[in-house]
Amino acid sequence: MKIYKAKDYTDMSRKAANIISALIILKENCVLGLATGSSPKETYRLLVERYKAGDLDFSGVTSINLDEYRGLAPDNDQSYRYFMDTNLFNHININAENTHVPNGLEQDSILECARYEELIRKLGGIDLQLLGLGHNGHIGFNEPAEVFTADTHCVDLSESTIEANKRFFDSADDVPRQAYTMGIKTIMQARRILMIVSGDSKAQIVKQAFFGPITPRVPASILQLHNNVTLVGDEAALSLL
Ligand code: F6R
């Protein structure tokens, strides 16, 4: 595992944007696995900036997102599709048809999860999967559990995740209770993992995930078994390593 220590959130984002830019330049038809949340926002802004400066071309890029709330329409401003459109896709020359997010409106979860797995397979797998880290160690919406769930699946969100995400909704009651997420195997099959973490509230879980026991109680701990992981964190998030 490579660990890059950044000064702060801005520096973390710059380093992450550098790594993603390098991939896009070297492999113009790459498949990027993307995440939502606070962690990648500035990274996406920098990618947009570089596209506008003429330094990046997304016309051959395909994206596939980790997860989506079940029940939210793409135009709901809390959906992950909306987040991706407004923070990245609408501002770059990626072909909209090549941007993939689980369909939150598909009621048949077995069908949707199978479709998503098949889609990733048809795309030839994920070249780089960008990940944030939940305070409870989740990646995507793979919550702490007794076992790792391998494939894309529908999950019941944990209380701590509902609590953490309610800041984006009018109240905790409005946070959807379920989500579609890539599974642990889906994530582990990405050829490269790029995790970004910032802030002292993540320090403890970063230490547990990367230097603690590998356990489904800390889903990110499985990344210790991946052979190409880059962790980019700011000083606060890496302070306990
Ligand atoms: C988002 C996702 C989540 C977040 C995690 C960290 O698509 O899959 O696992 O990466 O909850 O969220 P932030 O970055 O908001 O701290």
Side-chain angles (χ1 to χ4, degrees):
M1 176 175 60
K2 282 195 198 103
I3 303 180
Y4 291 108
K5 195 183 259 190
K7 279 196 291 296
D8 51 21
Y9 176 76
T10 309
D11 189 32
M12 172 201 80
S13 307
R14 200 170 53 81
K15 287 179 162 55
N18 286 347
I19 292 168
I20 297 169
S21 301
L23 173 65
I24 296 169
I25 291 165
L26 291 171
K27 188 174 180 187
E28 58 198 22
N29 62 345
C30 63
V31 177
L32 289 181
L34 298 176
T36 61
S38 326
S39 306
K41 261 190 146 173
E42 174 67 7
T43 305
Y44 293 154
R45 198 193 63 75
L46 289 168
L47 291 175
V48 170
E49 198 172 272
R50 287 168 193 193
Y51 161 70
K52 289 191 172 153
D55 292 330
L56 283 180
D57 175 9
F58 289 83
S59 60
V61 173
T62 298
S63 73
I64 181 120
N65 264 74
L66 276 170
D67 44 14
E68 177 62 288
Y69 287 117
R70 186 168 185 222
L72 293 194
D75 60 354
N76 183 310
D77 63 6
Q78 295 308 329
S79 76
Y80 286 177
R81 161 55 76 178
Y82 185 90
F83 176 101
M84 291 309 304
D85 285 347
T86 51
N87 283 284
L88 185 63
F89 302 149
N90 289 350
H91 312 289
I92 57 176
N93 68 335
I94 195 165
N95 181 343
E97 284 176 11
N98 294 339
T99 67
H100 305 285
V101 180
N103 177 5
L105 289 184
E106 176 57 68
Q107 284 300 311
D108 186 335
S109 57
I110 295 180
L111 199 74
E112 178 55 13
C113 296
R115 180 190 74 85
Y116 215 62
E117 282 294 320
E118 177 60 11
L119 173 64
I120 296 169
R121 199 190 61 76
K122 278 205 185 125
L123 291 172
I126 298 167
D127 288 302
L128 179 147
Q129 178 63 55
L130 179 64
L131 294 175
L133 178 63
H135 288 102
N136 60 4
H138 73 214
I139 46 177
F141 271 126
N142 291 277
E143 301 283 15
E146 294 303 316
V147 290
F148 290 111
T149 305
D151 295 320
T152 299
H153 59 290
C154 181
V155 280
D156 296 328
L157 304 189
S158 73
E159 278 311 315
S160 78
T161 298
I162 292 169
E163 202 42 42
N165 290 6
K166 74 173 188 201
R167 65 191 194 275
F168 302 113
F169 292 82
D170 290 338
S171 76
D173 288 345
D174 294 326
V175 185
R177 266 34 190 181
Q178 288 187 314
Y180 290 126
T181 182
M182 284 185 196
I184 292 294
K185 185 179 77 184
T186 329
I187 294 170
M188 288 293 280
Q189 283 177 337
R191 287 182 272 281
R192 181 170 186 181
I193 302 284
L194 171 60
M195 176 173 277
I196 49 177
V197 280
S198 81
D200 51 15
S201 71
K202 297 274 174 82
Q204 188 59 45
I205 194 67
V206 170
K207 184 178 167 194
Q208 257 178 280
F210 290 99
F211 295 95
I214 298 171
T215 162
R217 298 213 156 274
V218 181
S221 63
I222 194 82
L223 298 174
Q224 293 178 39
L225 299 178
H226 194 286
N227 65 7
N228 194 343
V229 176
T230 304
L231 171 65
V232 182
D234 64 10
E235 281 172 10
L238 303 186
S239 61
L240 298 179
L241 301 193

